[in-house]
Amino acid sequence: MATAVSARLGELGITLPPVAAPVAAYVPALRSGDLVFTSGQLPFTDGELPATGSVGDGAAVSAEDAKDYARTATLNALAAVDSLVGIDKVVQVVKVVGFVASAPGFGGQPGVINGASELLGEVFGEAGAHSRSAVGVAELPLGSPVEVELIVRVAE
């Protein structure tokens, strides 16, 4: 799988974005042994959030748009991994944790975080299969509708 990940990104027409600057006191990604943990990533595009607010029926952000934002946040997490160790060192996506700023009564968090999971499957194939949590929360940093963090296993 030495260059398969970067080649697959190219086949999909995906370019990893620049690493999003931290909005507080943390680093975008940290390696411990053969695992890389990313900090929670927001769906920044060119340094801006595409939308803010809660997700759900009648809320500021639709579940469909939030799913796209989860995909974008995941690309930002992959960019953090790439900047730390190189994307081609990833051998397995271990865990995805997705947070959804949820309007009262919204229970579609798993569908929203599928935006992250589906992207990882497209990019990594079987190595993209992962465990996952999809959590509804009242608010996220900067009013973001979604936040995604990853744990990946990397080659030595």
Side-chain angles (χ1 to χ4, degrees), residues 37-48:
F37 299 78
T38 71
S39 295
Q41 297 293 314
L42 305 180
F44 286 118
T45 302
D46 298 325
E48 301 288 328

Side-chain angles (χ1 to χ4, degrees), residues 15 36 42 48 59 62 77 96 100 117 124 127 145 150 155:
T15 302
V36 172
L42 305 180
E48 301 288 328
S62 71
V96 173
V100 181
S117 296
F124 294 99
L150 301 178

Side-chain angles (χ1 to χ4, degrees), residues 68-89:
D68 289 339
Y69 302 149
R71 181 181 177 96
T72 300
T74 303
L75 287 172
N76 289 335
L78 291 175
V81 171
D82 186 46
S83 73
L84 184 66
V85 297
I87 198 70
D88 288 324
K89 288 197 174 187

